[in-house]
Amino acid sequence: MKKIFLPVLSLTTAFVLLSITGCKPKNAGDATGSDAASRVYVPPGKYDELYNFVSGGFSGQVSVYGIPSGRLLRVIPVFSVDPEKGWGYSEETKPMLNTSHGEVPWGDQHHLDLSQTNGEIDGRWLFANENNTPRVARIDLKTFRTAEIIEIPNSAGNHSSPFITENTEYVVAGTRFSVPMDYENGDVPIDSYKKNFKGTISFISVAPKDGNMKIAFQLLLPGMNFDLSHSGKGPSSGWFFFSTYNSEQAHTLLEVNASKRDKDYILAVNWKKAEEYFKAGKGKKVSVKYAHNKYSDSTHSATSTIETETTIIDTKDFPDIAYMIPCPKSPHGCDVDPTGQYIVGSGKLAALIPVFSFAKIQQAIDAKNFDGDYGGIPVIKYEAALHGEVKKPGLGPLHTEFDGKGNAYTTFFISSEIVKWSLQDLKVIDRHPTYYSPGHLCIPGGDTKKPYGKYLIAYNKITKDRYLPTGPELAQSAQLFDISGDKMKLLSDYPTIGEPHYAQAVPAELIAKNSTKIFKIEENRNPYVTMGEGKSKVVRSGNRVDVYMTMIRSHFNPDNIEGVKLGDDVYFHLTNLEQDWDVPHGFAVKGAPTGELLVMPGETQTLKWTPQTVGIYPIYCTDFCSALHQEMQGYVRVSAKGSNVPISFSLGKNSDAADSLLKK
Ligand code: RUQ
Ligand code: CUA
């Protein structure tokens, strides 16, 4: 491949140029090798080997692929509404998108982390961040649905998030932007950054049994930008490591003003110590406002609560919580190897990869081997913390994952490649071009104690000539590599939904065996459930009409409704009585601007409809459920405002008009 050598001084310029043009390796069109097709081929009727959860970037969603086939299995609405699932359209799901700013139906989703027990993936939950309106979501991997969303106060641009501790004690989230705190007056001049802008890192506790999230405490830090992060493990258990940038504290033209210093920092946090202070009541309680939304599989409904308090621990008052380690040059990725001994920093503008040693960091702290402080936080001497540097690995290192066999794999955005190197001697072992400009990469379990290895997936920022043109925007893309041998082998390209950032992958059996098939109808606690066809009814109270309707192959009960009047709000509460796997029914009523519903077996969902004109409105099932799916339909009559048509509803009471037409 064509390598680009650039003098270090012009790296910023190179980064800017290449981020526009990409860097096209010479053999971009090469065949992948004759056995590649068979390696990714999953015969009809066979399952994939792994689940791959991929962030949806600016789509706010998460998508699920099978590996090695790259087949799209599901899109999960997280920080988004989703017309494929009725998510965000039904009355039951709407509260999931509530925030302290009101409903935010579309967010920016970058990073994912699977829950762990003892540093290994346990297959229970998937955590996801939202950058724009800071939020963290917990997705239940039994249902592949968003179960909980918590908003984060005192944060702006929740990019450094979500990263979990070894036993999922906490989901940790750092702010990208420093800002004035929510509990202080934020109406300050922007150029008072140095005085008024602060950073925070939030520790969100996760209840071991049901996963319930709660903001436990927030660390207050000097104003700068916090970026990617990972928790320690093994010997470094109890610690957390964050990359940071903009130690220059610039508030304008950051591409220049935040790229001035030769080194920014990796922030090392002793979270066990911080937790001790928190538990001892050393934090300061402050008033804030943030939403906490939960979805219940029992009521099949979401609730949104506005919380009003959080606890702040100011790191400058507790000198043994946080330490800075210099790291060249605007670090982005920050990754901890499976043994927990090494911390890899990746400077976006650096031409080397520094690898820090946890043992040396501890020795430096004990010996107070510091180089002054940054905003009251001791700065450990670079050499004192350094295990060593990977020399000339490529240009623009971003993220690193591990195969569990002593090797690290780093993406290089500018030189558009993945580089495999040895943690032992820091020598480059192999390099392979990607098409083009990879951001994140994912090795199944590659950020845990026990990587599964075998595959590596690169998530590319530029795809240019890889797919058929589709107008001004091209397909987003992942690339699958085989890493079971000494050399990386490219196996396939597959498009992704939204711009992919971080991803996680896990052997399929860990999740497949627990998958929910139906919701038991007798356990349905939705207040508007209809527990059987005999219980269907239509109830008027004032100008509100509640329709308690059931669905079963292949009819609604009732399917004829009269007595609705203009000015009414009609709530269709649909209960799907099926108790078979994969038999959802849909519901649509002509003119309903709220959309449609898709109701799973045993579930109740509600569609609100305010008819606008007098007439007959068809309703029908939108999901092909049986041979007579097309017959699953009915009518609602809407009368004028003052009309005296009474509420009535029925099923199967046919008039004989049709029979009379047939008479000979
Ligand atoms: S970032 S390309 Cu949003 Cu994870 Cu590194
Ligand atoms: Cu029910 Cu189609």
Side-chain angles (χ1 to χ4, degrees):
M1 71 158 273
K2 187 168 99 191
K3 292 200 196 80
I4 296 187
F5 291 106
L6 293 158
V8 172
L9 279 175
S10 69
L11 272 179
T12 310
T13 322
F15 188 79
V16 171
L17 279 174
L18 286 161
S19 58
I20 299 163
T21 61
C23 165
K24 183 174 176 177
K26 213 194 275 166
N27 55 348
D30 272 4
T32 52
S34 57
D35 69 339
S38 66
R39 296 294 316 275
V40 300
Y41 182 67
V42 177
K46 291 276 182 277
Y47 287 159
D48 273 289
E49 186 182 344
L50 300 122
Y51 285 103
N52 180 204
F53 299 95
V54 184
S55 63
F58 43 70
S59 82
Q61 303 165 324
V62 169
S63 41
V64 187
Y65 297 83
I67 298 291
S69 72
R71 297 183 294 191
L72 175 65
L73 305 177
R74 188 152 185 92
V75 176
I76 306 174
V78 185
F79 304 104
S80 66
V81 297
D82 183 353
E84 191 193 35
K85 293 156 196 90
W87 191 263
Y89 295 93
S90 71
E91 295 304 300
E92 281 82 355
T93 53
K94 278 180 185 170
M96 289 303 281
L97 298 163
N98 191 38
T99 73
S100 64
H101 306 269
E103 192 195 2
V104 179
W106 182 10
D108 182 20
Q109 199 287 300
H110 282 218
H111 304 122
L112 297 169
D113 220 350
L114 286 159
S115 58
Q116 296 181 15
T117 304
N118 298 321
E120 290 178 40
I121 295 170
D122 59 25
R124 295 193 293 166
W125 305 306
L126 176 69
F127 296 91
N129 76 320
E130 207 268 277
N131 279 335
N132 178 33
T133 303
R135 286 174 282 174
V136 165
R138 178 173 57 83
I139 296 157
D140 187 336
L141 293 178
K142 288 208 280 295
T143 55
F144 282 63
R145 279 183 175 174
T146 306
E148 190 175 2
I149 290 181
I150 196 161
E151 192 181 350
I152 306 175
N154 301 319
S155 172
N158 177 43
H159 189 253
S160 171
S161 161
F163 297 96
I164 59 161
T165 53
E166 253 180 316
N167 286 293
T168 321
E169 296 97 333
Y170 293 102
V171 181
V172 180
T175 188
R176 169 187 178 171
F177 297 93
S178 279
V179 283
M181 293 294 95
D182 292 358
Y183 52 87
E184 284 168 346
N185 177 16
D187 182 11
V188 296
I190 297 170
D191 67 7
S192 70
Y193 186 111
K194 290 188 173 134
K195 181 163 163 249
N196 291 318
F197 290 36
K198 292 273 181 307
T200 54
I201 289 170
S202 305
F203 284 76
I204 303 164
S205 61
V206 180
K209 257 183 80 183
D210 60 6
N212 188 47
M213 297 191 288
K214 196 174 165 187
I215 298 182
F217 58 92
Q218 298 187 294
L219 298 182
L220 190 68
L221 290 146
M224 60 199 305
N225 291 51
F226 297 85
D227 215 350
L228 289 208
S229 160
H230 268 98
S231 84
K233 38 175 122 53
S236 55
S237 186
W239 286 72
F240 232 100
F241 306 91
F242 296 82
S243 65
T244 67
Y245 64 101
N246 191 21
S247 54
E248 295 87 348
Q249 299 194 308
H251 53 82
T252 179
L253 198 63
L254 263 65
E255 64 172 324
V256 176
N257 293 329
S259 306
K260 287 190 169 146
R261 297 184 61 193
D262 196 42
K263 290 195 173 65
D264 289 285
Y265 300 105
I266 299 277
L267 170 73
V269 172
N270 185 340
W271 68 260
K272 278 278 180 198
K273 255 270 136 49
E275 187 189 47
E276 257 172 57
Y277 290 130
F278 166 65
K279 287 188 170 157
K282 297 271 169 68
K284 177 174 92 178
K285 293 226 188 311
V286 296
S287 347
V288 288
K289 249 178 92 177
Y290 62 97
H292 184 194
N293 311 334
K294 292 196 72 177
Y295 192 83
S296 155
D297 287 335
S298 161
T299 60
H300 303 289
S301 317
T303 50
S304 178
T305 315
I306 297 291
E307 311 273 1
T308 55
E309 196 181 72
T310 184
T311 301
I312 296 279
I313 294 178
D314 191 340
T315 48
K316 74 172 169 0
D317 300 336
F318 300 95
D320 52 355
I321 295 178
Y323 302 88
M324 297 288 198
I325 305 162
C327 183
K329 175 129 202 174
S330 303
H332 179 54
C334 183
D335 298 284
V336 180
D337 87 306
T339 71
Q341 296 179 69
Y342 302 115
I343 297 109
V344 180
S346 297
K348 299 182 285 271
L349 303 177
L352 57 83
I353 305 174
V355 181
F356 301 99
S357 147
F358 182 72
K360 285 179 128 183
I361 293 170
Q362 294 309 300
Q363 286 160 17
I365 291 171
D366 291 345
K368 296 207 165 21
N369 205 348
F370 300 143
D371 215 350
D373 72 293
Y374 183 87
I377 299 178
V379 176
I380 297 172
K381 286 198 175 121
Y382 178 68
E383 288 74 19
L386 194 70
H387 164 61
E389 292 169 342
V390 185
K391 306 273 192 209
K392 295 209 174 136
L395 291 181
L398 288 185
H399 298 286
T400 300
E401 293 243 308
F402 308 90
D403 65 2
K405 296 187 271 186
N407 303 308
Y409 297 75
T410 303
T411 50
F412 286 82
F413 180 86
I414 299 178
S415 52
S416 213
E417 58 187 330
I418 292 175
V419 174
K420 175 183 180 181
W421 51 275
S422 157
L423 279 160
Q424 184 62 38
D425 59 15
L426 307 179
K427 292 266 188 315
V428 171
I429 301 167
D430 186 26
R431 54 176 74 238
H432 199 298
T434 58
Y435 309 98
Y436 307 90
S437 299
H440 281 275
L441 77 173
C442 161
I443 292 174
D447 67 337
T448 70
K449 261 187 182 167
K450 263 223 185 111
Y452 180 75
K454 193 165 173 183
Y455 298 107
L456 179 155
I457 310 138
Y459 300 95
N460 301 318
K461 298 300 183 196
I462 294 163
T463 54
K464 289 207 297 189
D465 48 19
R466 301 297 286 184
Y467 295 95
L468 285 172
T470 48
E473 194 190 15
L474 294 172
Q476 309 283 343
S477 181
Q479 288 191 294
L480 180 70
F481 292 83
D482 174 3
I483 56 163
S484 56
D486 290 343
K487 295 258 168 214
M488 290 176 267
K489 271 192 209 146
L490 176 59
L491 298 177
S492 70
D493 289 18
Y494 61 93
T496 63
I497 305 252
E499 187 190 28
H501 292 259
Y502 198 30
Q504 298 264 282
V506 57
E509 64 270 18
L510 201 60
I511 289 172
K513 62 172 196 266
N514 296 324
S515 200
T516 297
K517 293 197 166 72
I518 58 155
F519 298 104
K520 288 194 185 128
I521 185 74
E522 66 273 18
E523 290 171 9
N524 183 325
R525 297 285 172 271
N526 187 299
Y528 298 102
V529 65
T530 309
M531 282 286 189
E533 291 205 78
K535 302 266 168 57
S536 292
K537 60 185 175 187
V538 179
V539 183
R540 168 180 292 284
S541 35
N543 66 346
R544 174 180 170 129
V545 177
D546 287 285
V547 179
Y548 295 76
M549 192 184 269
T550 59
M551 333 161 95
I552 197 157
R553 280 163 287 181
S554 296
H555 59 269
F556 298 102
N557 191 353
D559 68 0
N560 279 206
I561 297 169
E562 300 196 358
V564 172
K565 291 183 256 181
L566 282 188
D568 286 347
D569 288 327
V570 184
Y571 291 82
F572 293 99
H573 310 290
L574 276 300
T575 298
N576 181 348
L577 297 175
E578 306 281 355
Q579 293 286 274
D580 275 347
W581 193 17
D582 200 26
V583 193
H585 292 285
F587 176 79
V589 57
K590 182 183 169 184
T594 32
E596 307 157 20
L597 295 181
L598 194 68
V599 191
M600 297 303 128
E603 195 180 52
T604 303
Q605 292 284 294
T606 299
L607 188 83
K608 184 187 173 193
W609 174 53
T610 309
Q612 301 296 312
T613 54
V614 164
I616 299 294
Y617 285 82
I619 58 170
Y620 69 97
C621 172
T622 54
D623 189 334
F624 204 106
C625 49
S626 73
L628 296 174
H629 151 80
Q630 196 71 1
E631 279 71 13
M632 192 164 171
Q633 65 174 56
Y635 293 107
V636 180
R637 173 181 173 189
V638 176
S639 305
K641 206 165 188 150
S643 136
N644 52 13
V645 177
I647 288 283
S648 70
F649 54 94
S650 62
L651 168 74
K653 277 198 214 153
N654 221 15
S655 61
D656 54 9
D659 294 340
S660 66
L661 276 182
L662 286 171
K663 274 179 192 142
K664 300 229 170 80

